[in-house]
Amino acid sequence: MSGPQAHPILERRIPATFITPRKRIEDGNDLAFFHSSIAYRDIKIFLLQLNRAIFPRLGEDGKTEVCDLQQRAELSSTGTGVAAIIQSLSDFVDDVPPETGPRRFGNVAFRTWYKLAESKIDDLFDEHLGSVLDRIAANDAQRRTGVREELKVYLLGGFGSTQRMDYGTGHELSFLVFLGCLWKLSAFQAGEERTIVTELVQPYLVLMRTLILTYTLEPAGTHGVWGLDDHSFLPYIFGSAQLGPAITSPDAPTPLTSSLAGAPKPDSVASKGTVLQYKDSNMYFAAIQFIYDVKTGPFWEHSPTLFNISGIKDGWAKINKGMIKMYDAEVLGKFPVVQHFPFGSLFPWEKDPDAQQNAQQNGQATGRHCSSLGEAWWGAFSGAIYWRTFDESTMGCSIGLAILDTFHTEEFKRRRRHRTPYA
């Protein structure tokens, strides 16, 4: 990037040589280096770039332009190509039905689906993203293979683990970075960020929910009942942004409090009727609906963290701000999540020259990461304390959560009274 920007945009950059991404994070020292790397910086820039684009915005005519999943947006040629790849991968599910018979974890037919996707991915890239490959590689077959290999590592990495037959936020991160790679290669148009989320990220999430239900994929690295969600994080970031107040001008700051006029209240996620009403238009509510589809019992009992968050009084923008901080701490900051993340030429394993300055600024704005046992700090949401405990076995921080706001039910309050931070 060329100098600091109020709202940084991910830099367009075509590397001289493409590198097949590989795993680099092996221990705590590597995790610390990751947090000072160009890859980490660019992941955060791209996430914030997409997040800001999802907020409602004030049009030139003074009317608010909302982001609604049911309002179909026109895709660029690259966007159309990625959407076609996602659709093809979704169609493969019909070709690979789940196997019958007893099983303990996952359905082994998932491995068959994944092998099919892996065997077809080169052809899908050539068919649907051929213009991107041609522009970058021209008549250089070796270079064309290099860029395709780098891209497909991130795309295939977004569909879960065939070894463990699970799926989680680390795989979701891989798909986000796949889109970031295409952005860096100038495959997407400026101003296409909102469409990237609604027409590519959301269909990807729909595909993943289909894979989870069809092949009973296990949650990867879940915190159990005290985690935010068994599988995903991004829909809560982007979905809360959809319901935030309008950004009034291109230079205006991203809202930190309040909600879009007429938006459902955060605590309405506990109402199945309201969730049904908004699930087709909003990513947050679509994710909540999936929880209702796969879990039984009271919402506060099977999803206590989401239930707690729903009690925040300062609106969807406040929730969005907290979700981004939680993502940094609980996805990008966790060794079990990012240990399998691969680094190539587009998201490189290289030191960010501005990392120390950025870390100091982030520390002043959001608090610091844990450094000692039992350290407590004010968490992502006002009214919440996160106990962050360093775990040497996983080289990461774990959290325990207590909400200081009024609880929705006396039963929930009683259960919280006896809870201790988990490891």
Side-chain angles (χ1 to χ4, degrees), residues 47-123:
L47 177 64
L48 292 174
Q49 179 181 342
L50 296 180
N51 180 69
R52 179 176 170 83
I54 296 303
F55 270 87
R57 51 196 178 215
L58 199 63
E60 294 180 359
D61 58 0
K63 295 181 180 180
T64 300
E65 301 171 0
V66 299
C67 179
D68 189 319
L69 296 178
Q70 294 178 301
Q71 296 175 353
R72 310 308 298 179
E74 184 176 351
L75 289 162
S76 65
S77 59
T78 298
T80 301
V82 174
I85 291 174
I86 294 172
Q87 184 57 55
S88 295
L89 295 173
S90 182
D91 292 341
F92 292 164
V93 178
D94 297 330
D95 301 328
V96 187
E99 295 192 7
T100 58
R103 60 187 180 275
R104 185 179 180 188
F105 299 116
N107 191 296
V108 293
F110 172 64
R111 291 171 178 158
T112 305
W113 176 90
Y114 192 95
K115 287 180 180 177
L116 178 61
E118 198 172 29
S119 68
K120 299 288 187 180
I121 200 67
D122 284 353
D123 292 338

Side-chain angles (χ1 to χ4, degrees), residues 334-405:
K334 285 298 181 64
F335 180 84
V337 177
V338 298
Q339 64 174 321
H340 301 294
F341 182 82
F343 299 82
S345 64
L346 291 164
F347 283 79
W349 184 251
E350 297 176 9
K351 180 81 171 181
D352 173 15
D354 300 322
Q356 185 173 0
Q357 178 182 355
N358 292 337
Q360 291 174 349
Q361 292 173 348
N362 290 337
Q364 294 170 358
T366 65
R368 67 191 190 282
H369 289 293
C370 67
S371 58
S372 62
L373 184 65
E375 177 183 352
W377 66 300
W378 282 100
F381 303 99
S382 64
I385 288 180
Y386 287 83
W387 282 274
R388 299 181 59 83
T389 306
F390 189 75
D391 185 345
E392 292 183 358
S393 65
T394 60
M395 299 300 175
C397 298
S398 57
I399 66 168
L401 169 65
I403 297 294
L404 303 185
D405 290 340

Side-chain angles (χ1 to χ4, degrees), residues 265-271 284 292 298-301 303-313 316 319 403-416:
K265 293 182 179 180
D267 62 7
S268 63
V269 298
S271 167
Y284 198 107
Y292 280 125
F299 186 74
W300 62 265
E301 189 170 58
S303 302
T305 301
L306 285 167
F307 181 81
N308 285 338
I309 292 169
S310 73
I312 289 175
K313 307 300 183 184
W316 286 106
I319 291 176
I403 297 294
L404 303 185
D405 290 340
T406 302
F407 296 122
H408 291 50
T409 68
E410 286 300 313
E411 171 67 10
F412 194 74
K413 186 174 182 179
R414 183 186 68 78
R415 293 191 178 206
R416 278 295 193 184

Side-chain angles (χ1 to χ4, degrees), residues 20 23 54 71 104 181 188 195 207 215-216 223 238 310 369 388 394:
T20 301
K23 176 180 174 178
I54 296 303
Q71 296 175 353
R104 185 179 180 188
C181 289
F188 290 119
T195 307
L207 169 57
Y215 305 119
T216 57
H223 288 308
F238 298 139
S310 73
H369 289 293
R388 299 181 59 83
T394 60

Side-chain angles (χ1 to χ4, degrees), residues 16 18 122-152 185:
F18 289 94
D122 284 353
D123 292 338
L124 291 173
F125 267 67
D126 288 338
E127 179 181 357
H128 299 296
L129 295 177
S131 60
V132 176
L133 301 178
D134 290 341
R135 179 176 54 81
I136 295 169
N139 298 319
D140 189 334
Q142 184 176 357
R143 183 170 172 80
R144 182 187 180 92
T145 300
V147 63
R148 187 174 58 198
E149 290 297 313
E150 184 155 356
L151 289 172
K152 78 178 188 182
L185 295 173

Side-chain angles (χ1 to χ4, degrees), residues 51 55 240-241 243-245 254-260 266 312 314-324 381:
N51 180 69
F55 270 87
S240 56
L243 299 173
T254 303
L256 301 179
T257 60
S258 192
S259 298
L260 177 70
I312 289 175
D314 293 332
W316 286 106
K318 185 72 171 182
I319 291 176
N320 179 258
K321 174 187 174 183
M323 287 293 180
I324 290 173
F381 303 99

